[in-house]
Short mmCIF file of all heavy atoms in Angstrom, two decimals:
data_model
loop_
_atom_site.label_atom_id
_atom_site.label_comp_id
_atom_site.label_asym_id
_atom_site.label_seq_id
_atom_site.Cartn_x
_atom_site.Cartn_y
_atom_site.Cartn_z
N MET A 7 109.08 76.81 43.25
CA MET A 7 107.75 76.37 42.98
C MET A 7 106.93 76.21 44.12
O MET A 7 105.77 76.55 44.16
CB MET A 7 107.91 75.12 42.12
CG MET A 7 108.40 75.25 40.73
SD MET A 7 108.51 73.62 39.93
CE MET A 7 109.07 74.06 38.34
N ALA A 8 107.56 75.58 45.18
CA ALA A 8 106.88 75.31 46.51
C ALA A 8 106.36 76.66 47.09
O ALA A 8 105.23 76.81 47.58
CB ALA A 8 107.75 74.59 47.41
N LYS A 9 107.19 77.64 47.09
CA LYS A 9 106.92 78.96 47.72
C LYS A 9 105.76 79.59 46.95
O LYS A 9 104.83 80.13 47.57
CB LYS A 9 108.23 79.87 47.77
CG LYS A 9 108.09 81.13 48.66
CD LYS A 9 107.64 82.32 48.01
CE LYS A 9 107.72 83.59 48.85
NZ LYS A 9 107.41 84.78 48.20
N LEU A 10 105.93 79.60 45.62
CA LEU A 10 104.81 80.21 44.84
C LEU A 10 103.53 79.55 44.97
O LEU A 10 102.53 80.27 45.20
CB LEU A 10 105.24 80.13 43.32
CG LEU A 10 104.27 80.73 42.29
CD1 LEU A 10 104.09 82.16 42.45
CD2 LEU A 10 104.65 80.38 40.87
N HIS A 11 103.52 78.22 45.04
CA HIS A 11 102.24 77.46 45.25
C HIS A 11 101.71 77.69 46.69
O HIS A 11 100.49 78.02 46.80
CB HIS A 11 102.52 75.94 45.07
CG HIS A 11 101.35 75.03 45.25
ND1 HIS A 11 100.22 75.14 44.46
CD2 HIS A 11 100.97 74.26 46.24
CE1 HIS A 11 99.28 74.35 44.88
NE2 HIS A 11 99.73 73.79 46.06
N ALA A 12 102.60 77.63 47.74
CA ALA A 12 102.05 77.74 49.02
C ALA A 12 101.54 79.21 49.31
O ALA A 12 100.47 79.37 49.89
CB ALA A 12 103.24 77.48 50.00
N THR A 13 102.22 80.24 48.80
CA THR A 13 101.79 81.63 49.01
C THR A 13 100.48 81.94 48.25
O THR A 13 99.65 82.56 48.69
CB THR A 13 102.90 82.68 48.77
OG1 THR A 13 103.40 82.47 47.40
CG2 THR A 13 103.95 82.52 49.73
N ASP A 14 100.35 81.35 47.01
CA ASP A 14 99.23 81.65 46.24
C ASP A 14 98.05 80.89 46.79
O ASP A 14 96.87 81.39 46.95
CB ASP A 14 99.34 81.03 44.78
CG ASP A 14 100.05 82.12 43.85
OD1 ASP A 14 100.38 83.18 44.29
OD2 ASP A 14 100.24 81.72 42.63
N THR A 15 98.23 79.66 47.39
CA THR A 15 97.24 78.94 48.10
C THR A 15 96.76 79.56 49.31
O THR A 15 95.57 79.78 49.62
CB THR A 15 97.65 77.48 48.36
OG1 THR A 15 98.11 76.94 47.13
CG2 THR A 15 96.52 76.69 49.02
N ALA A 16 97.69 80.18 50.11
CA ALA A 16 97.39 80.88 51.32
C ALA A 16 96.62 82.11 50.99
O ALA A 16 95.57 82.42 51.75
CB ALA A 16 98.70 81.18 52.06
N GLN A 17 96.89 82.81 49.89
CA GLN A 17 96.19 84.01 49.47
C GLN A 17 94.75 83.67 49.18
O GLN A 17 93.83 84.38 49.64
CB GLN A 17 96.86 84.66 48.38
CG GLN A 17 96.14 85.86 47.88
CD GLN A 17 96.43 87.12 48.85
OE1 GLN A 17 97.53 87.41 49.17
NE2 GLN A 17 95.36 87.61 49.37
N ALA A 18 94.59 82.63 48.36
CA ALA A 18 93.19 82.21 47.89
C ALA A 18 92.41 81.74 49.19
O ALA A 18 91.16 82.10 49.28
CB ALA A 18 93.28 81.02 46.96
N THR A 19 93.11 81.18 50.13
CA THR A 19 92.37 80.57 51.37
C THR A 19 91.91 81.81 52.20
O THR A 19 90.64 81.82 52.72
CB THR A 19 93.24 79.63 52.13
OG1 THR A 19 93.67 78.59 51.22
CG2 THR A 19 92.60 79.04 53.33
N ILE A 20 92.79 82.73 52.43
CA ILE A 20 92.38 83.82 53.35
C ILE A 20 91.40 84.83 52.63
O ILE A 20 90.60 85.36 53.31
CB ILE A 20 93.67 84.62 53.91
CG1 ILE A 20 93.29 85.53 55.05
CG2 ILE A 20 94.34 85.41 52.71
CD1 ILE A 20 92.85 84.87 56.24
N ASP A 21 91.49 84.85 51.32
CA ASP A 21 90.44 85.65 50.56
C ASP A 21 89.06 85.02 50.84
O ASP A 21 88.07 85.74 51.04
CB ASP A 21 90.84 85.63 49.09
CG ASP A 21 89.92 86.61 48.41
OD1 ASP A 21 90.05 87.83 48.60
OD2 ASP A 21 89.08 86.10 47.56
N LYS A 22 89.06 83.65 50.84
CA LYS A 22 87.74 83.03 51.04
C LYS A 22 87.24 83.23 52.47
O LYS A 22 86.09 83.46 52.80
CB LYS A 22 87.87 81.49 50.76
CG LYS A 22 87.83 81.17 49.34
CD LYS A 22 87.90 79.56 49.11
CE LYS A 22 87.97 79.37 47.67
NZ LYS A 22 88.64 78.05 47.32
N ALA A 23 88.24 83.26 53.45
CA ALA A 23 87.90 83.53 54.81
C ALA A 23 87.28 84.85 55.07
O ALA A 23 86.31 84.98 55.71
CB ALA A 23 89.10 83.32 55.79
N VAL A 24 87.91 85.87 54.37
CA VAL A 24 87.41 87.28 54.47
C VAL A 24 85.91 87.20 53.91
O VAL A 24 85.10 87.91 54.51
CB VAL A 24 88.31 88.22 53.73
CG1 VAL A 24 87.72 89.60 53.64
CG2 VAL A 24 89.65 88.32 54.40
N GLN A 25 85.75 86.60 52.78
CA GLN A 25 84.43 86.59 52.21
C GLN A 25 83.39 85.92 53.14
O GLN A 25 82.27 86.47 53.25
CB GLN A 25 84.44 85.82 50.87
CG GLN A 25 83.23 86.05 49.98
CD GLN A 25 83.27 87.43 49.35
OE1 GLN A 25 84.21 88.09 49.32
NE2 GLN A 25 82.00 87.78 49.03
N ILE A 26 83.84 84.80 53.78
CA ILE A 26 82.84 84.24 54.66
C ILE A 26 82.56 85.01 55.86
O ILE A 26 81.41 85.19 56.34
CB ILE A 26 83.41 82.82 55.20
CG1 ILE A 26 83.51 81.85 53.96
CG2 ILE A 26 82.78 82.24 56.44
CD1 ILE A 26 84.41 80.61 54.29
N PHE A 27 83.52 85.85 56.35
CA PHE A 27 83.38 86.71 57.60
C PHE A 27 82.55 87.85 57.14
O PHE A 27 82.10 88.66 58.02
CB PHE A 27 84.65 87.07 58.20
CG PHE A 27 85.20 86.03 59.24
CD1 PHE A 27 85.53 84.75 58.83
CD2 PHE A 27 85.25 86.33 60.52
CE1 PHE A 27 85.95 83.78 59.75
CE2 PHE A 27 85.71 85.34 61.42
CZ PHE A 27 85.99 84.16 61.06
N GLY A 28 82.51 88.28 55.90
CA GLY A 28 81.75 89.46 55.48
C GLY A 28 82.42 90.70 56.04
O GLY A 28 83.63 90.78 56.09
N GLY A 29 81.65 91.62 56.38
CA GLY A 29 82.15 92.87 56.91
C GLY A 29 83.14 92.81 57.94
O GLY A 29 84.11 93.50 58.17
N ALA A 30 82.89 91.74 58.87
CA ALA A 30 83.75 91.57 60.08
C ALA A 30 85.22 91.29 59.67
O ALA A 30 86.18 91.52 60.38
CB ALA A 30 83.22 90.58 60.94
N GLY A 31 85.27 90.59 58.46
CA GLY A 31 86.56 90.18 57.96
C GLY A 31 87.44 91.31 57.46
O GLY A 31 88.67 91.05 57.24
N VAL A 32 86.95 92.46 57.37
CA VAL A 32 87.77 93.63 56.93
C VAL A 32 87.77 94.66 58.11
O VAL A 32 88.37 95.82 57.95
CB VAL A 32 87.32 94.27 55.60
CG1 VAL A 32 87.55 93.39 54.55
CG2 VAL A 32 85.82 94.75 55.73
N VAL A 33 87.31 94.32 59.32
CA VAL A 33 87.39 95.25 60.43
C VAL A 33 88.78 95.19 61.08
O VAL A 33 89.32 94.04 61.33
CB VAL A 33 86.33 95.02 61.37
CG1 VAL A 33 86.51 95.80 62.80
CG2 VAL A 33 84.91 95.36 60.87
N SER A 34 89.46 96.34 61.27
CA SER A 34 90.77 96.42 61.90
C SER A 34 90.73 95.70 63.19
O SER A 34 89.94 95.91 64.09
CB SER A 34 91.22 97.79 62.03
OG SER A 34 92.55 97.85 62.57
N GLY A 35 91.68 94.77 63.46
CA GLY A 35 91.79 93.99 64.72
C GLY A 35 91.27 92.61 64.69
O GLY A 35 91.60 91.80 65.41
N ASN A 36 90.37 92.42 63.70
CA ASN A 36 89.83 91.04 63.50
C ASN A 36 90.93 90.16 63.03
O ASN A 36 91.71 90.55 62.22
CB ASN A 36 88.66 91.10 62.46
CG ASN A 36 87.95 89.76 62.23
OD1 ASN A 36 88.62 88.83 61.83
ND2 ASN A 36 86.68 89.71 62.55
N MET A 37 90.96 88.88 63.51
CA MET A 37 92.02 87.91 63.32
C MET A 37 92.07 87.74 61.72
O MET A 37 93.21 87.62 61.17
CB MET A 37 91.83 86.57 63.94
CG MET A 37 92.94 85.70 63.68
SD MET A 37 92.78 84.04 64.57
CE MET A 37 91.41 83.35 63.62
N VAL A 38 90.93 87.64 61.11
CA VAL A 38 90.96 87.30 59.69
C VAL A 38 91.61 88.57 58.92
O VAL A 38 92.33 88.37 57.91
CB VAL A 38 89.53 87.02 59.17
CG1 VAL A 38 89.46 86.95 57.62
CG2 VAL A 38 89.03 85.78 59.76
N GLU A 39 91.20 89.73 59.34
CA GLU A 39 91.78 90.91 58.66
C GLU A 39 93.32 90.96 58.85
O GLU A 39 94.04 91.21 57.95
CB GLU A 39 91.13 92.20 59.27
CG GLU A 39 91.68 93.54 58.66
CD GLU A 39 92.75 94.09 59.50
OE1 GLU A 39 93.11 93.65 60.61
OE2 GLU A 39 93.44 94.95 58.97
N ARG A 40 93.84 90.70 60.03
CA ARG A 40 95.27 90.62 60.33
C ARG A 40 95.87 89.58 59.48
O ARG A 40 97.01 89.81 58.81
CB ARG A 40 95.44 90.33 61.78
CG ARG A 40 96.94 90.40 62.20
CD ARG A 40 97.16 90.20 63.69
NE ARG A 40 96.66 88.90 64.23
CZ ARG A 40 97.23 87.76 64.10
NH1 ARG A 40 98.39 87.65 63.40
NH2 ARG A 40 96.71 86.65 64.64
N LEU A 41 95.41 88.43 59.38
CA LEU A 41 96.00 87.40 58.61
C LEU A 41 95.91 87.68 57.06
O LEU A 41 96.91 87.37 56.31
CB LEU A 41 95.25 86.00 58.70
CG LEU A 41 95.54 85.31 60.12
CD1 LEU A 41 94.59 84.07 60.23
CD2 LEU A 41 96.98 84.92 60.27
N TYR A 42 94.87 88.40 56.66
CA TYR A 42 94.79 88.86 55.24
C TYR A 42 95.98 89.75 54.84
O TYR A 42 96.65 89.61 53.90
CB TYR A 42 93.44 89.56 54.96
CG TYR A 42 93.36 89.91 53.42
CD1 TYR A 42 92.72 88.98 52.66
CD2 TYR A 42 93.69 91.11 52.98
CE1 TYR A 42 92.58 89.20 51.24
CE2 TYR A 42 93.51 91.49 51.65
CZ TYR A 42 92.96 90.52 50.78
OH TYR A 42 92.85 90.74 49.45
N ARG A 43 96.25 90.68 55.77
CA ARG A 43 97.37 91.62 55.52
C ARG A 43 98.78 90.95 55.61
O ARG A 43 99.60 91.16 54.88
CB ARG A 43 97.43 92.80 56.59
CG ARG A 43 96.35 93.86 56.20
CD ARG A 43 96.55 95.10 57.14
NE ARG A 43 95.94 94.80 58.46
CZ ARG A 43 96.74 94.62 59.54
NH1 ARG A 43 98.08 94.82 59.43
NH2 ARG A 43 96.15 94.38 60.69
N GLU A 44 98.83 90.02 56.62
CA GLU A 44 100.13 89.28 56.78
C GLU A 44 100.36 88.42 55.59
O GLU A 44 101.54 88.27 55.17
CB GLU A 44 100.24 88.56 58.16
CG GLU A 44 100.29 89.44 59.35
CD GLU A 44 100.32 88.74 60.61
OE1 GLU A 44 100.28 87.42 60.56
OE2 GLU A 44 100.27 89.38 61.66
N ILE A 45 99.41 87.68 55.16
CA ILE A 45 99.60 86.67 54.04
C ILE A 45 99.82 87.45 52.80
O ILE A 45 100.67 86.89 51.89
CB ILE A 45 98.39 85.75 53.97
CG1 ILE A 45 98.38 84.81 55.13
CG2 ILE A 45 98.29 84.98 52.63
CD1 ILE A 45 97.12 83.96 55.34
N ARG A 46 99.24 88.55 52.62
CA ARG A 46 99.51 89.33 51.39
C ARG A 46 100.97 89.66 51.12
O ARG A 46 101.40 89.56 49.94
CB ARG A 46 98.62 90.65 51.38
CG ARG A 46 98.68 91.42 50.01
CD ARG A 46 98.06 90.55 48.92
NE ARG A 46 98.11 91.19 47.65
CZ ARG A 46 99.25 91.11 46.83
NH1 ARG A 46 100.34 90.35 47.31
NH2 ARG A 46 99.28 91.60 45.68
N ALA A 47 101.62 89.92 52.18
CA ALA A 47 103.06 90.30 52.01
C ALA A 47 103.89 89.07 51.61
O ALA A 47 104.93 89.31 50.96
CB ALA A 47 103.62 90.79 53.33
N LEU A 48 103.51 87.90 51.87
CA LEU A 48 104.21 86.67 51.50
C LEU A 48 104.43 86.57 50.01
O LEU A 48 105.36 85.88 49.54
CB LEU A 48 103.55 85.42 51.94
CG LEU A 48 103.34 85.32 53.59
CD1 LEU A 48 102.62 83.94 53.87
CD2 LEU A 48 104.69 85.34 54.25
N ARG A 49 103.45 87.07 49.21
CA ARG A 49 103.67 87.08 47.77
C ARG A 49 104.58 88.08 47.23
O ARG A 49 104.75 88.24 45.98
CB ARG A 49 102.20 87.17 47.06
CG ARG A 49 101.39 85.85 47.32
CD ARG A 49 99.99 86.06 46.82
NE ARG A 49 99.95 86.44 45.45
CZ ARG A 49 99.16 87.35 44.95
NH1 ARG A 49 98.22 87.98 45.70
NH2 ARG A 49 99.09 87.67 43.71
N ILE A 50 105.12 88.91 48.12
CA ILE A 50 106.03 90.03 47.64
C ILE A 50 107.49 89.74 48.11
O ILE A 50 108.31 89.65 47.20
CB ILE A 50 105.65 91.32 48.32
CG1 ILE A 50 104.23 91.68 47.78
CG2 ILE A 50 106.57 92.46 47.93
CD1 ILE A 50 103.54 92.90 48.52
N TYR A 51 107.61 89.42 49.35
CA TYR A 51 109.04 89.22 49.78
C TYR A 51 109.61 87.81 49.52
O TYR A 51 108.87 86.87 49.27
CB TYR A 51 109.34 89.75 51.26
CG TYR A 51 108.64 89.00 52.43
CD1 TYR A 51 108.63 87.62 52.48
CD2 TYR A 51 107.86 89.69 53.29
CE1 TYR A 51 107.91 87.00 53.55
CE2 TYR A 51 107.25 89.07 54.29
CZ TYR A 51 107.19 87.74 54.50
OH TYR A 51 106.68 87.11 55.54
N GLU A 52 110.96 87.79 49.71
CA GLU A 52 111.68 86.52 49.34
C GLU A 52 111.36 85.98 47.92
O GLU A 52 111.28 84.82 47.63
CB GLU A 52 111.32 85.49 50.33
CG GLU A 52 111.78 85.72 51.78
CD GLU A 52 113.27 85.50 52.06
OE1 GLU A 52 113.79 84.67 51.24
OE2 GLU A 52 113.85 86.16 52.88
N GLY A 53 111.23 86.97 46.99
CA GLY A 53 110.85 86.66 45.61
C GLY A 53 109.42 86.83 45.28
O GLY A 53 108.55 85.93 45.75
N ALA A 54 109.11 87.96 44.64
CA ALA A 54 107.71 88.33 44.30
C ALA A 54 107.10 87.23 43.40
O ALA A 54 107.96 86.58 42.62
CB ALA A 54 107.54 89.62 43.66
N SER A 55 105.90 86.89 43.51
CA SER A 55 105.24 85.80 42.61
C SER A 55 105.62 86.00 41.15
O SER A 55 105.97 84.98 40.47
CB SER A 55 103.80 85.73 42.85
OG SER A 55 103.51 85.49 44.23
N GLU A 56 105.48 87.18 40.62
CA GLU A 56 105.76 87.41 39.15
C GLU A 56 107.17 86.95 38.78
O GLU A 56 107.45 86.40 37.79
CB GLU A 56 105.49 88.81 38.84
CG GLU A 56 103.96 89.24 38.84
CD GLU A 56 103.47 89.47 40.26
OE1 GLU A 56 104.28 89.62 41.17
OE2 GLU A 56 102.15 89.43 40.50
N VAL A 57 108.02 87.54 39.72
CA VAL A 57 109.51 87.18 39.47
C VAL A 57 109.80 85.68 39.54
O VAL A 57 110.51 85.10 38.75
CB VAL A 57 110.37 88.01 40.44
CG1 VAL A 57 111.85 87.67 40.29
CG2 VAL A 57 110.14 89.47 40.23
N GLN A 58 109.15 85.05 40.54
CA GLN A 58 109.29 83.64 40.70
C GLN A 58 108.72 82.90 39.40
O GLN A 58 109.38 81.87 38.92
CB GLN A 58 108.52 83.02 41.82
CG GLN A 58 109.27 83.45 43.17
CD GLN A 58 108.58 82.84 44.32
OE1 GLN A 58 107.38 82.66 44.39
NE2 GLN A 58 109.41 82.55 45.36
N LYS A 59 107.67 83.32 38.80
CA LYS A 59 107.21 82.72 37.60
C LYS A 59 108.23 82.89 36.41
O LYS A 59 108.36 81.90 35.72
CB LYS A 59 105.82 83.36 37.11
CG LYS A 59 104.70 82.81 38.01
CD LYS A 59 103.45 83.58 37.66
CE LYS A 59 102.29 83.20 38.64
NZ LYS A 59 101.17 84.07 38.50
N VAL A 60 108.91 84.00 36.31
CA VAL A 60 109.89 84.20 35.33
C VAL A 60 111.07 83.23 35.56
O VAL A 60 111.59 82.61 34.68
CB VAL A 60 110.45 85.67 35.41
CG1 VAL A 60 111.63 85.87 34.50
CG2 VAL A 60 109.31 86.63 34.90
N VAL A 61 111.50 83.09 36.82
CA VAL A 61 112.64 82.26 37.27
C VAL A 61 112.28 80.79 36.84
O VAL A 61 112.99 80.04 36.35
CB VAL A 61 113.00 82.35 38.66
CG1 VAL A 61 113.97 81.33 39.07
CG2 VAL A 61 113.54 83.82 38.98
N ILE A 62 111.06 80.37 37.25
CA ILE A 62 110.61 79.01 36.98
C ILE A 62 110.52 78.68 35.54
O ILE A 62 111.01 77.65 34.95
CB ILE A 62 109.26 78.68 37.66
CG1 ILE A 62 109.45 78.71 39.19
CG2 ILE A 62 108.65 77.36 37.18
CD1 ILE A 62 108.16 78.85 39.97
N ALA A 63 109.97 79.70 34.71
CA ALA A 63 109.85 79.53 33.28
C ALA A 63 111.23 79.39 32.66
O ALA A 63 111.41 78.45 31.76
CB ALA A 63 109.16 80.73 32.68
N ARG A 64 112.15 80.14 33.12
CA ARG A 64 113.54 80.12 32.49
C ARG A 64 114.08 78.60 32.76
O ARG A 64 114.72 78.05 31.88
CB ARG A 64 114.34 81.15 33.14
CG ARG A 64 114.29 82.45 32.53
CD ARG A 64 115.43 83.42 32.99
NE ARG A 64 115.02 84.79 32.55
CZ ARG A 64 115.25 85.89 33.42
NH1 ARG A 64 115.72 85.69 34.61
NH2 ARG A 64 114.89 87.03 33.00
N ALA A 65 113.93 78.17 34.06
CA ALA A 65 114.49 76.83 34.36
C ALA A 65 113.85 75.75 33.52
O ALA A 65 114.43 74.76 33.09
CB ALA A 65 114.21 76.59 35.89
N VAL A 66 112.50 75.84 33.40
CA VAL A 66 111.71 74.80 32.61
C VAL A 66 112.23 74.76 31.20
O VAL A 66 112.43 73.75 30.57
CB VAL A 66 110.17 75.12 32.74
CG1 VAL A 66 109.48 74.19 31.80
CG2 VAL A 66 109.76 74.84 34.22
N ILE A 67 112.32 76.01 30.57
CA ILE A 67 112.78 76.13 29.22
C ILE A 67 114.17 75.68 28.99
O ILE A 67 114.49 74.90 28.13
CB ILE A 67 112.71 77.60 28.74
CG1 ILE A 67 111.23 78.06 28.62
CG2 ILE A 67 113.36 77.74 27.38
CD1 ILE A 67 110.99 79.54 28.42
N ALA A 68 115.08 75.93 30.00
CA ALA A 68 116.47 75.44 29.92
C ALA A 68 116.58 73.97 30.07
O ALA A 68 117.23 73.29 29.31
CB ALA A 68 117.28 76.12 31.02
N GLU A 69 115.70 73.47 30.86
CA GLU A 69 115.65 71.93 31.07
C GLU A 69 115.17 71.30 29.80
O GLU A 69 115.68 70.32 29.37
CB GLU A 69 114.83 71.59 32.18
CG GLU A 69 115.01 70.11 32.75
CD GLU A 69 114.22 69.86 34.03
OE1 GLU A 69 114.34 70.59 34.95
OE2 GLU A 69 113.46 68.86 33.97
N ALA A 70 114.06 71.88 29.21
CA ALA A 70 113.54 71.29 27.91
C ALA A 70 114.55 71.43 26.77
O ALA A 70 114.65 70.44 26.04
CB ALA A 70 112.24 72.03 27.61
N GLN A 71 115.32 72.50 26.80
CA GLN A 71 116.36 72.62 25.67
C GLN A 71 117.47 71.60 25.92
O GLN A 71 117.99 71.05 24.91
CB GLN A 71 116.84 74.09 25.61
CG GLN A 71 115.85 75.05 25.01
CD GLN A 71 116.29 76.49 25.09
OE1 GLN A 71 117.08 76.77 25.94
NE2 GLN A 71 115.63 77.34 24.32
N GLY A 72 117.74 71.34 27.21
CA GLY A 72 118.78 70.41 27.50
C GLY A 72 118.45 69.02 27.25
O GLY A 72 119.33 68.27 26.60
N SER A 73 117.26 68.64 27.42
CA SER A 73 116.75 67.22 27.12
C SER A 73 116.68 67.03 25.67
O SER A 73 116.58 65.89 25.18
CB SER A 73 115.48 66.96 27.80
OG SER A 73 114.43 67.74 27.37
N ARG A 74 116.52 68.09 24.86
CA ARG A 74 116.45 67.94 23.40
C ARG A 74 117.80 67.71 22.78
O ARG A 74 117.88 67.08 21.75
CB ARG A 74 115.76 69.28 22.76
CG ARG A 74 114.48 68.92 22.02
CD ARG A 74 113.94 70.10 21.30
NE ARG A 74 113.13 70.95 22.13
CZ ARG A 74 113.09 72.24 22.09
NH1 ARG A 74 113.88 72.96 21.29
NH2 ARG A 74 112.31 72.98 22.89
N ALA A 75 118.85 68.24 23.41
CA ALA A 75 120.22 68.12 22.89
C ALA A 75 120.75 66.74 22.90
O ALA A 75 120.36 65.94 23.75
CB ALA A 75 121.11 69.11 23.55
C1 FAD B 130 106.79 92.44 55.02
C2 FAD B 130 108.11 92.55 54.21
C3 FAD B 130 109.27 92.05 54.81
C4 FAD B 130 110.47 92.11 54.17
N1 FAD B 130 111.60 91.57 54.67
C5 FAD B 130 112.77 91.72 54.09
C6 FAD B 130 114.02 91.18 54.72
O1 FAD B 130 113.89 90.69 55.88
N2 FAD B 130 115.12 91.21 54.04
C7 FAD B 130 115.23 91.79 52.75
O2 FAD B 130 116.33 91.90 52.26
N3 FAD B 130 114.02 92.28 52.09
C8 FAD B 130 112.89 92.19 52.82
N4 FAD B 130 111.80 92.69 52.21
C9 FAD B 130 111.90 93.35 50.87
C10 FAD B 130 111.44 92.25 49.78
O3 FAD B 130 112.24 91.32 49.61
C11 FAD B 130 111.06 93.24 48.53
O4 FAD B 130 110.06 93.97 48.89
C12 FAD B 130 110.78 92.35 47.41
O5 FAD B 130 111.90 91.67 46.94
C13 FAD B 130 110.13 93.06 46.25
O6 FAD B 130 110.97 94.20 45.92
P1 FAD B 130 110.35 95.62 45.75
O7 FAD B 130 109.48 95.92 47.03
O8 FAD B 130 111.44 96.52 45.44
O9 FAD B 130 109.31 95.55 44.62
P2 FAD B 130 109.64 95.46 43.04
O10 FAD B 130 110.71 94.51 42.77
O11 FAD B 130 109.74 96.92 42.60
O12 FAD B 130 108.28 94.73 42.45
C14 FAD B 130 107.09 95.50 42.40
C15 FAD B 130 106.11 94.67 41.65
O13 FAD B 130 106.61 94.47 40.29
C16 FAD B 130 106.68 93.02 40.00
N5 FAD B 130 107.83 92.84 39.10
C17 FAD B 130 109.11 93.10 39.36
N6 FAD B 130 109.95 92.73 38.42
C18 FAD B 130 109.21 92.12 37.56
C19 FAD B 130 109.35 91.28 36.39
N7 FAD B 130 110.60 91.19 35.84
N8 FAD B 130 108.40 90.77 35.74
C20 FAD B 130 107.18 90.90 36.25
N9 FAD B 130 106.80 91.53 37.35
C21 FAD B 130 107.82 92.13 38.02
C22 FAD B 130 106.88 92.39 41.36
O14 FAD B 130 106.28 90.99 41.18
C23 FAD B 130 105.91 93.27 42.23
O15 FAD B 130 104.67 92.91 42.15
C24 FAD B 130 110.51 92.63 52.87
C25 FAD B 130 109.36 93.04 52.26
C26 FAD B 130 108.17 93.08 52.96
C27 FAD B 130 106.87 93.59 52.25
#
């Protein structure tokens, strides 16, 4: 849950930074452009966001079913 939240937040933050920098934010070599590419990969490796959502949903459902028994 922490990884999913942190990487989604980082993605939203760097997306805003690119928007603020405008055209300069997508120029190769610009720090914001480099961070945008680097942060994007964080939502893929060590458990892609979609897969993490499936894993979290399974855990939440299992816990809810356990507390009902
Ligand atoms: C920069 C970088 C560094 C990496 N470093 C390492 C490393 O050091 N060691 C290592 O072992 N691996 C490493 N990897 C590999 C990484 O762990 C895999 O890329 C990652 O697990 C995703 O697997 P995949 O690329 O085969 O994509 P896939 O598993 O084919 O996924 C492609 C897309 O489909 C989605 N998807 C897949 N299954 C489901 C599902 N059931 N439901 C919904 N959506 C789904 C994913 O969320 C993703 O968006 C690295 C990858 C990158 C990009």
Side-chain angles (χ1 to χ4, degrees):
M7 285 179 183
K9 195 262 185 179
L10 179 65
H11 179 70
T13 54
D14 276 0
T15 303
Q17 182 71 58
T19 303
I20 194 63
D21 188 69
K22 281 182 186 152
V24 170
Q25 195 68 20
I26 290 166
F27 273 66
V32 290
V33 170
S34 181
N36 184 296
M37 185 180 67
V38 172
E39 179 270 343
R40 181 176 58 80
L41 286 173
Y42 186 86
R43 278 187 290 109
E44 289 181 2
I45 287 170
R46 187 63 188 83
L48 299 177
R49 288 174 54 222
I50 299 170
Y51 61 52
E52 296 282 335
S55 297
E56 292 75 18
V57 175
Q58 287 186 327
K59 285 177 187 169
V60 171
V61 170
I62 292 165
R64 280 193 192 133
V66 170
I67 290 167
E69 197 174 307
Q71 287 173 338
S73 66
R74 239 188 271 142

